[in-house]
Amino acid sequence: MKRLPLILIFALCTLFLHAQEEGLASYYHHRFHGKKTASGELHDKNEMTAAHRTLPFGTYVRVTNLDNNRSVIVEITDRGPRRRKRIIDVSKNAAQELGFVRKGITRVRLEVVPGPVDLRWLDLIYPEIKLLDFKQNKSSDIEKYEN
């Protein structure tokens, strides 16, 4: 009985990590280029960013175009889209990579993916070990033995 809450929490976390969603995607109009997003960043049409209604800012999402199976990874930096039937707005660069700029909208699948590795954590896992320079040590060792 004590394990039930732990199992429930684990199941919910697993669902969030492997969340998938399917629906319509559109892309930002060029008039939003350089405007402030809901996260406070400036929107850049040349970056791989997107707007989603509920995912936290900074979440990375793989967007797959279901018509041609092209996919990109975008970062959520804004809220939207405003149209109810759409699930995500991507930047123009992402739309070009996905191949739907001409159509304007397309059916996509969204999958939450891990973000980039924070290299500061590698220092904790693999601490820097300073190696001895044998050339310097040999000369000092030789001097000790000669004296």
Side-chain angles (χ1 to χ4, degrees):
M1 198 66 177
K2 292 180 183 179
R3 292 186 183 184
L4 185 62
L6 290 175
I7 293 171
L8 185 60
I9 290 171
F10 179 75
L12 290 174
C13 291
T14 305
L15 285 175
F16 176 73
L17 290 175
H18 300 289
Q20 287 190 4
E21 191 176 359
E22 288 188 10
L24 291 176
S26 57
Y27 68 94
Y28 279 93
H29 192 272
H30 65 81
R31 71 173 175 246
F32 294 110
H33 179 70
K35 303 284 186 191
K36 193 179 259 192
T37 63
S39 67
E41 297 180 28
L42 294 180
H43 174 67
D44 184 355
K45 66 181 181 181
N46 299 316
E47 290 188 7
M48 296 295 203
T49 59
H52 192 274
R53 287 187 189 92
T54 58
L55 290 174
F57 297 135
T59 302
Y60 287 85
V61 178
R62 175 179 286 115
V63 182
T64 304
N65 185 340
L66 296 177
D67 293 337
N68 58 18
N69 282 336
R70 290 184 182 178
S71 67
V72 296
I73 295 177
V74 296
E75 180 182 4
I76 303 298
T77 60
D78 202 3
R79 292 289 170 234
R82 302 226 185 268
R83 301 261 174 122
R84 288 274 177 220
K85 292 185 179 181
R86 298 181 189 167
I87 60 170
I88 194 166
D89 275 337
V90 297
S91 62
K92 187 164 186 179
N93 191 24
Q96 286 172 339
E97 292 291 323
L98 290 168
F100 75 94
V101 171
R102 181 169 272 170
K103 284 175 43 176
I105 61 171
T106 191
R107 287 199 47 78
V108 295
R109 177 185 305 117
L110 306 182
E111 300 168 88
V112 175
V113 297
V117 176
D118 187 354
L119 297 178
R120 293 175 294 180
W121 289 102
L122 291 178
D123 288 338
L124 297 174
I125 299 169
Y126 302 107
E128 184 178 330
I129 300 172
K130 296 189 178 188
L131 298 175
L132 297 175
D133 188 5
F134 290 109
K135 292 177 185 175
Q136 291 177 355
N137 289 339
K138 281 184 180 179
S139 62
S140 63
D141 287 341
I142 292 170
E143 290 173 5
K144 287 181 188 175
Y145 290 118
E146 288 178 351
N147 293 333

